[in-house]
Amino acid sequence: MIRKLWSTCVDEVIGFYLLHWFFYHKKQPLIISDVKQETPGLFSGDLHTFFSPVPEPARLEYRSELRPTSEAVFPAAEVQDFQFPSSIQTGFPENDLVKGRHWKSTATAADANSDLRYTVVAIDGIVQLGVRSFNRLARRLTPAGIDVVMLDSPFNYRRTPPGYRPGQLIAGGNLDHQLSVARQGLLDLWSLILSLQSEGRQVGLMGISHGAWMTLTASLLIEQLEFVMAITPPVDLFHILDEGGTVVNAIRRGIKESDFSEQQLEQICQPLRIPLWKPKLAGSAIHLHVADYDRFVPPFRIEALAEQWHTKVTHHSLGHIEATTGPKVVAQVAEEILQFWKFPADSIADSTMNQT
């Protein structure tokens, strides 16, 4: 009971802080977009029409001036930042240049006789302030010969336009804008995955919160993914309007600008509702992590998806903030990735997962 009360208080307090200090920062006006005029499939309600056309593989640009100072702390990896232009242009130059970080393993793969190259693509939640979780992931996986690639989602982290805060513009617009941001995020991810696969890499996905929604949506569209590890994914972005916590108020603010009825809105949002579609990989390759005391994402929705898709599901006696920012769940996901690719954990030197 005390554990639940603490987790609930943390979620509520942090949720209030995020709403007013990030999503309502400087009381910026809503972006009123009419992007549906340029994207006829935006209100189609069809998954494949909405996320079309299929993007080209990204041409990743690695530049010496993009090299982060954190590389010295990774003895088993070379750490480089990269960028590539998004296929979607929003009028915000900072957002339309996709950015990411690549922890390139310098270790010999656990299976020295294999020609396979293993890569995990990871995406954070709606407010990304740093790389702590993915540093932890890379510290554990790179000694096994597994690369970690982090993608900055639209209007988040290093793609945040001046005058705004990370994540503010994900929800800071009308329905057209919010749908367009969701579409851009998935197409950017798709382009990155195609690029990595074209290099002969085996690609698995790991997502946190909103990033977990992106990875699960990718599993509906992209061929030859190895796995998806999703931490507290909001699996139904229509029902979360009624079921989500404080932060969802920012999304509701933009939705209210539309004149659609609830039935019309439900139809339009179908591409964002994961349970309506079937993944392209087996349920056994999908692992859903549920925070039992989550005040942001309804746990029962994740449980229902796990039952529908026959996936593996793990429960944590945590709230949303603890599950998505603390070391516990990421550490478990790292071990699950090693097991999935059959890397014996005892053959990999301890990588001090709790260090940043």
Side-chain angles (χ1 to χ4, degrees):
M1 186 64 184
I2 295 177
R3 172 77 261 177
K4 181 178 181 179
L5 180 61
W6 167 255
S7 298
T8 299
C9 288
V10 169
D11 276 7
E12 291 294 340
V13 170
I14 297 299
F16 183 84
Y17 172 77
L18 292 175
L19 181 66
H20 289 277
W21 288 93
F22 281 80
F23 295 102
Y24 293 166
H25 175 59
K26 293 185 177 181
K27 297 183 179 180
Q28 297 278 13
L30 282 171
I31 294 179
I32 305 302
S33 169
D34 196 23
V35 71
K36 64 177 178 293
Q37 300 299 327
E38 306 167 9
T39 313
L42 197 68
F43 285 4
S44 67
D46 177 72
L47 178 74
H48 297 279
T49 303
F50 183 86
F51 291 112
S52 66
V54 176
E56 295 294 323
R59 299 183 63 179
L60 307 186
E61 180 184 4
Y62 292 90
R63 294 164 48 188
S64 58
E65 61 265 35
L66 299 176
R67 189 186 302 272
T69 58
S70 61
E71 68 167 331
V73 303
F74 287 91
E78 176 188 4
V79 187
Q80 287 186 293
D81 283 351
F82 63 84
Q83 60 189 28
F84 63 91
S86 175
S87 61
I88 306 296
Q89 299 300 299
T90 65
F92 291 91
E94 298 81 8
N95 174 66
D96 296 341
L97 186 63
V98 185
K99 297 183 178 180
R101 179 162 297 179
H102 192 165
W103 288 264
K104 297 182 179 180
S105 175
T106 57
T108 303
D111 184 358
N113 295 319
S114 175
D115 292 330
L116 297 178
R117 301 164 68 190
Y118 301 94
T119 303
V120 176
V121 175
I123 311 172
D124 211 340
I126 196 169
V127 175
Q128 183 180 358
L129 301 177
V131 299
R132 183 185 297 264
S133 294
F134 305 129
N135 274 340
R136 290 172 176 148
L137 189 70
R139 189 179 295 277
R140 184 66 178 121
L141 297 183
T142 52
I146 300 173
D147 285 13
V148 174
V149 175
M150 178 192 76
L151 179 72
D152 295 9
S153 59
F155 295 109
N156 210 352
Y157 194 36
R158 295 168 298 179
R159 295 176 67 178
T160 305
Y164 294 91
R165 290 191 169 166
Q168 185 176 5
L169 285 179
I170 293 177
N174 63 351
L175 181 61
D176 282 47
H177 174 79
Q178 292 186 23
L179 291 174
S180 180
V181 172
R183 179 172 177 268
Q184 182 181 30
L186 197 283
L187 292 179
D188 289 346
L189 173 60
W190 198 342
S191 186
L192 173 62
I193 291 170
L194 290 176
S195 176
L196 296 171
Q197 289 178 333
S198 70
E199 298 175 1
R201 295 177 178 272
Q202 306 293 301
V203 177
L205 306 182
M206 180 269 201
I208 298 174
S209 191
H210 182 260
W213 171 82
M214 289 177 63
T215 59
L216 287 172
T217 304
S219 77
L220 307 175
L221 296 160
I222 304 175
E223 304 284 353
Q224 298 180 332
L225 291 174
E226 294 289 300
F227 59 76
V228 174
M229 307 286 181
I231 300 174
T232 67
V235 300
D236 192 321
L237 292 188
F238 174 74
H239 283 299
I240 203 172
L241 292 173
D242 296 322
E243 300 166 350
T246 306
V247 172
V248 177
N249 288 338
I251 301 174
R252 295 191 190 109
R253 174 176 170 243
I255 297 297
K256 289 178 181 177
E257 291 294 317
S258 69
D259 296 325
F260 294 107
S261 67
E262 183 175 347
Q263 291 75 19
Q264 290 173 317
L265 187 61
E266 185 175 4
Q267 171 66 26
I268 290 169
C269 290
Q270 284 193 147
L272 312 184
R273 304 180 61 197
I274 293 169
L276 299 183
W277 313 96
K278 293 182 179 180
K280 288 185 173 293
L281 69 168
S284 58
I286 300 173
H287 193 155
L288 306 179
H289 287 265
V290 182
D292 291 332
Y293 309 140
D294 198 324
R295 297 289 293 174
F296 292 8
V297 175
F300 77 92
R301 293 283 179 191
I302 307 175
E303 295 166 356
L305 182 67
E307 183 175 355
Q308 177 183 334
W309 282 4
H310 306 291
T311 75
K312 187 174 181 180
V313 61
T314 298
H315 289 262
H316 303 274
S317 298
L318 300 169
H320 188 88
I321 297 299
E322 295 166 297
T324 57
T325 64
K328 178 181 177 182
V329 184
V330 171
Q332 182 171 333
V333 167
E335 300 308 317
E336 291 162 359
I337 292 171
L338 292 172
Q339 293 171 17
F340 185 90
W341 273 327
K342 296 181 172 54
F343 292 149
D346 57 2
S347 70
I348 303 167
D350 180 74
S351 50
T352 59
M353 281 288 297
N354 292 325
Q355 296 182 21
T356 59

